[in-house]
Amino acid sequence: MKLIQSTSIAAVISAAALFSCKPKSTGSAVSGDAAAKAYVAPGKYDEFYNFVSGGFSGQMSVYGLPSGRLLRVIPVFSVDPEKGWGYSEETKPMLNTSHGFVPWDDLHHTEMSQTNGEIDGKWVFANGNNTPRLARIDLKTFKTAEIIELPNSAGNHSSPYGTENSEYIVAGTRFSVPSDEDNGDVPINSYKKNFKGHISFVSVAKETGEMKVAFQLKTPGVNFDLARAGKGKSHGWFFFSCYNTEQASTLLEVNASQKDKDFIMAVNWKKAEEYIKAGKGKKVKTKYAHNTWNEATHTATSKMEEEVLVLDVKEFKDIVYFIPCPKSPHGCDVDPTGEYIVGSGKLAALIPVFSFDKIQQSIAAKSYDGDYEGIPVIKYESALYGEVKKPGLGPLHTEFDGRGNAYTSFFVSSEVVKWNIKDLKVLDRVPTYYSVGHLSIPGGNTKKPNGKYLVAYNKITKDRYLPTGPELAQSAQLYDISGDKMQLILDYPTIGEPHYAQSAPADIIRNNGQLKLYKLSDNKHPYVTQGEANAKVTREGNKVHVYMTSIRSHFAPDNIEGIKVGDEVYFHVTNLEQDWDVPHGFAIKGADNAELLIMPGETTTLKWLPKKPGMFPMYCTDFCSALHQEMQGYIRVSPAGSNVPLSFSLGKPVPETK
Ligand code: K7E
Ligand code: CUA
């Protein structure tokens, strides 16, 4: 069937307006008591942990709310020299993919694990947008514990979205592409024939959190943008926004904006699960990396998976339905009751709100408007609960406060608009500075939002901060939403471009078994050094292993001779400390590598390829004690083939050799 086509890109919004307009008053919109609301006294804790996507930094940052204090940057998909992430031998496998070592990605969305539709503080998931990957961060250690690559995908944007008990974390491909088992070497203009979408259902083990690509749904070749799981009455369903239903492969800004309506794709995942259990999935050959961090060995392993179970949705009449949604929908959000599904058309001047009950009735009554590649298209009117009229320009994302209100971000008109879900009336609007993308309310995507604060994540900050050359910081703005009127209370820059963020009450993370150190006696690293007396240096051919320890304030050994040009030297440094907050660092002159930062009880390895003879000092990089600056040593490097014997010492110089 054909949807109504419009010849111009946007009847409502002129092309110029796509670039966003500035709110008039750029000065301080902050009133007298605002500072007090965001004030957290020195030494006091914040009320919430806020997990913010780092966009093209590939990392995730952790802020405290309401203070806006940056607590930590967690390395996820990108190497991070500060923590040695992706530089130490133990962490390198975490960044392995079917394309080899990929040291960067684009992290857009964070998703906290849930139990019964509420945030449980166990894990936070994140998407790698470019080389499609999903990560799980363990909130006991604030460390990336697992990364799994997604087969048959390209541009993992519609991701990661969790069900109400984190049964699945779901990821939809942004780009449709030929399946991995097909030869992708085909003409681009064969899009309609060869390009397919895939939605990955990644199961999460209840206790360990271990992820597995349980199955994929093969769909028509559209672009999936964002998604949400149903909850409460709609638990068992999933909703995805789709654009480029035109299936264009070039100049998408024009060619994918032809239709008045694209789709929200409604998926009955419980049904899909039944078909999988009944053995209806097809095993498809592919290759994707599954990387896991082992807490006992302090080492990651990367395993290449070889196949995935796929259900082609065309072959099953009751898994997938399309619902028309105006103008290239971006956000697709489900309210706390699970009844209302909000679609945000980037080019639309209204917000459609769909009813889960009406969707079910439409399916039962086959109230369809034809099909799209064999998938029934539900009539717009029969799925629609109602429209929010004239809310603003360029709606993107919606969050909820648990009091019956929705908050939608407007990129083009740079504002947050609060509206009532029942009567669809606009209640309040506030400017953002400027061009807001995502919004985040603690628990704002769950059954139980905490409607005290809202954070707006802005793309543009011209004139908000001291200028820093051509590139300016992106920003977050904190609003108090506890009253009838939203009130701006704080404005602070972010790390990388923030897209989505989620928050959890501080206590469920802080008082939930936070790890303070690794027990040395539990350390199962193959190159652990249990105590200084066991420190040594061994040679196997040109491979030299240094079993080194660190404790305030020396390394053992700290004098090493007999290293030769052409050697491969592995410094396996075990931090013998058993106190909270006493990491040691390790760096050596000329290493084409980052430092190591070793937590108490942990063993971490730096690989070093000495390239010329000479004296190479090494030192601790983390100010660990009053005598931190004394925590240093020397490595003597001799030419290849030299006779200097391998020797090492601590406390007395090694015997003199020529
Ligand atoms: Cu979630 Cu930024 Cu990738 Cu909207 S996207 S802004
Ligand atoms: Cu160890 Cu400074």
Side-chain angles (χ1 to χ4, degrees):
M1 71 135 232
K2 273 253 160 71
L3 290 166
I4 314 146
Q5 308 244 332
S6 84
T7 40
S8 78
I9 304 178
V12 193
I13 302 162
S14 75
L18 295 176
F19 302 115
S20 95
C21 30
K22 254 187 183 182
K24 292 234 162 48
S25 105
T26 63
S28 175
V30 176
S31 59
D33 62 338
K37 289 184 171 176
Y39 184 69
V40 178
K44 292 274 180 268
Y45 290 152
D46 275 289
E47 220 178 315
F48 294 97
Y49 283 99
N50 179 217
F51 298 91
V52 185
S53 59
F56 41 70
S57 81
Q59 318 296 41
M60 185 186 296
S61 42
V62 187
Y63 290 84
L65 291 180
S67 72
R69 296 190 288 211
L70 176 65
L71 305 175
R72 184 165 182 78
V73 175
I74 303 173
V76 186
F77 298 114
S78 300
V79 292
D80 182 350
E82 183 194 354
K83 289 120 188 154
W85 182 255
Y87 292 95
S88 71
E89 294 309 294
E90 290 81 359
T91 55
K92 281 177 183 172
M94 289 301 281
L95 301 179
N96 191 37
T97 72
S98 62
H99 307 269
F101 181 76
V102 177
W104 172 87
D105 218 303
D106 183 15
L107 190 163
H108 280 221
H109 306 121
T110 62
E111 176 83 0
M112 303 200 65
S113 56
Q114 297 183 19
T115 301
N116 299 324
E118 288 184 57
I119 286 170
D120 59 21
K122 285 192 198 165
W123 306 298
V124 53
F125 299 89
N127 67 325
N129 200 2
N130 181 50
T131 303
R133 288 177 273 182
L134 266 186
R136 177 174 58 87
I137 288 137
D138 188 337
L139 292 178
K140 283 193 170 48
T141 54
F142 280 63
K143 191 162 183 164
T144 304
E146 194 177 2
I147 292 181
I148 195 164
E149 198 181 350
L150 298 168
N152 296 316
S153 302
N156 173 34
H157 192 264
S158 186
S159 163
Y161 295 102
T163 52
E164 65 181 30
N165 289 299
S166 297
E167 292 96 338
Y168 294 105
I169 296 294
V170 174
T173 187
R174 167 189 176 174
F175 298 92
S176 281
V177 284
S179 302
D180 291 350
E181 65 174 347
D182 299 328
N183 180 6
D185 175 13
V186 295
I188 297 170
N189 69 14
S190 70
Y191 188 112
K192 290 195 163 107
K193 180 170 157 232
N194 290 320
F195 290 41
K196 294 292 167 207
H198 281 85
I199 307 277
S200 306
F201 283 75
V202 177
S203 59
V204 179
K206 234 183 162 36
E207 294 304 320
T208 62
E210 175 142 332
M211 302 191 287
K212 178 176 183 246
V213 182
F215 61 92
Q216 291 191 313
L217 299 179
K218 184 176 183 179
T219 71
V222 299
N223 288 44
F224 294 105
D225 207 3
L226 293 154
R228 281 293 184 202
K231 51 172 98 76
K233 60 159 66 170
S234 55
H235 178 61
W237 286 73
F238 232 100
F239 305 94
F240 298 85
S241 56
C242 316
Y243 67 104
N244 193 22
T245 56
E246 295 86 349
Q247 303 191 329
S249 64
T250 179
L251 197 62
L252 264 66
E253 66 168 321
V254 175
N255 294 330
S257 303
Q258 295 298 309
K259 291 181 176 175
D260 269 344
K261 294 196 173 69
D262 291 281
F263 297 130
I264 283 177
M265 185 173 90
V267 174
N268 184 341
W269 63 260
K270 285 268 183 194
K271 259 267 139 44
E273 205 181 39
E274 282 171 25
Y275 287 128
I276 288 292
K277 281 187 186 138
K280 299 275 160 84
K282 183 185 152 210
K283 282 186 185 156
V284 168
K285 286 260 165 289
T286 174
K287 242 184 181 180
Y288 59 102
H290 184 187
N291 313 329
T292 15
W293 183 259
N294 182 322
E295 285 287 342
T297 59
H298 306 290
T299 304
T301 45
S302 178
K303 183 178 165 215
M304 213 47 81
E305 307 279 358
E306 308 264 312
E307 65 184 20
V308 63
L309 268 181
V310 178
L311 278 184
D312 187 337
V313 302
K314 270 202 321 259
E315 294 163 16
F316 304 90
K317 290 295 159 207
D318 48 1
I319 305 181
V320 169
Y321 307 87
F322 284 123
I323 305 164
C325 186
K327 292 284 169 202
S328 305
H330 188 57
C332 172
D333 296 288
V334 180
D335 90 307
T337 68
E339 165 64 8
Y340 302 103
I341 298 114
V342 180
S344 297
K346 299 187 287 278
L347 305 178
L350 56 82
I351 303 173
V353 179
F354 300 98
S355 149
F356 180 70
D357 288 344
K358 289 186 76 178
I359 293 169
Q360 297 307 305
Q361 290 154 15
S362 308
I363 293 168
K366 293 203 164 28
S367 176
Y368 298 148
D369 212 348
D371 70 288
Y372 179 88
E373 295 198 3
I375 311 291
V377 178
I378 296 173
K379 282 202 173 98
Y380 178 68
E381 291 74 19
S382 66
L384 189 72
Y385 171 71
E387 293 169 343
V388 184
K389 306 281 190 206
K390 296 215 164 65
L393 294 179
L396 290 188
H397 298 283
T398 300
E399 290 261 295
F400 305 91
D401 66 4
R403 296 186 295 270
N405 304 308
Y407 300 75
T408 301
S409 58
F410 287 84
F411 177 81
V412 176
S413 51
S414 280
E415 57 187 339
V416 180
V417 175
K418 173 182 177 181
W419 50 276
N420 182 276
I421 305 170
K422 276 269 142 65
D423 65 19
L424 307 176
K425 291 267 184 315
V426 171
L427 301 172
D428 189 25
R429 57 179 73 234
V430 285
T432 62
Y433 307 96
Y434 308 92
S435 303
V436 57
H438 276 272
L439 301 176
S440 177
I441 291 174
N445 66 311
T446 68
K447 281 179 171 172
K448 287 245 175 72
N450 179 311
K452 191 166 173 187
Y453 302 111
L454 173 145
V455 193
Y457 295 95
N458 303 306
K459 308 295 184 191
I460 292 172
T461 54
K462 264 178 218 162
D463 79 21
R464 293 300 289 179
Y465 304 118
L466 287 173
T468 53
E471 201 200 352
L472 302 173
Q474 286 88 19
S475 84
Q477 288 187 297
L478 180 69
Y479 297 82
D480 173 0
I481 56 163
S482 58
D484 286 343
K485 294 277 170 203
M486 294 176 273
Q487 184 193 11
L488 176 61
I489 57 177
L490 190 68
D491 193 342
Y492 54 95
T494 59
I495 307 272
E497 183 189 355
H499 293 263
Y500 191 41
Q502 287 194 352
S503 303
D507 287 349
I508 66 165
I509 293 176
R510 188 165 76 84
N511 300 329
N512 202 4
Q514 281 277 295
L515 197 76
K516 295 189 169 169
L517 50 90
Y518 299 99
K519 261 209 201 137
L520 193 58
S521 51
D522 292 346
N523 185 325
K524 299 279 179 320
H525 192 291
Y527 291 94
V528 64
T529 307
Q530 292 281 5
E532 231 164 63
N534 301 315
K536 62 182 175 188
V537 184
T538 63
R539 174 184 284 285
E540 301 155 19
N542 73 330
K543 287 195 176 51
V544 176
H545 292 279
V546 181
Y547 294 73
M548 186 179 264
T549 62
S550 64
I551 194 160
R552 282 164 288 179
S553 297
H554 58 270
F555 294 105
D558 66 0
N559 282 199
I560 300 173
E561 297 195 359
I563 305 291
K564 290 177 251 180
V565 172
D567 281 349
E568 253 176 46
V569 185
Y570 295 87
F571 294 96
H572 309 286
V573 186
T574 300
N575 181 348
L576 299 177
E577 306 279 355
Q578 290 287 271
D579 261 346
W580 194 19
D581 201 22
V582 195
H584 291 285
F586 178 83
I588 182 161
K589 181 183 171 184
D592 49 1
N593 208 331
E595 65 155 358
L596 299 177
L597 192 64
I598 314 127
M599 297 304 126
E602 195 182 30
T603 303
T604 306
T605 303
L606 183 118
K607 180 179 175 184
W608 179 50
L609 304 171
K611 292 182 195 75
K612 55 184 179 190
M615 192 54 67
F616 292 79
M618 45 105 175
Y619 72 101
C620 170
T621 54
D622 187 305
F623 211 110
C624 50
S625 75
L627 296 175
H628 152 80
Q629 203 67 355
E630 278 69 14
M631 197 165 173
Q632 64 171 51
Y634 297 94
I635 317 284
R636 173 184 173 184
V637 176
S638 306
S642 103
N643 296 324
V644 177
L646 192 64
S647 62
F648 56 91
S649 70
L650 168 73
K652 55 178 189 321
V654 297
E656 197 172 319
T657 51
K658 287 283 158 55

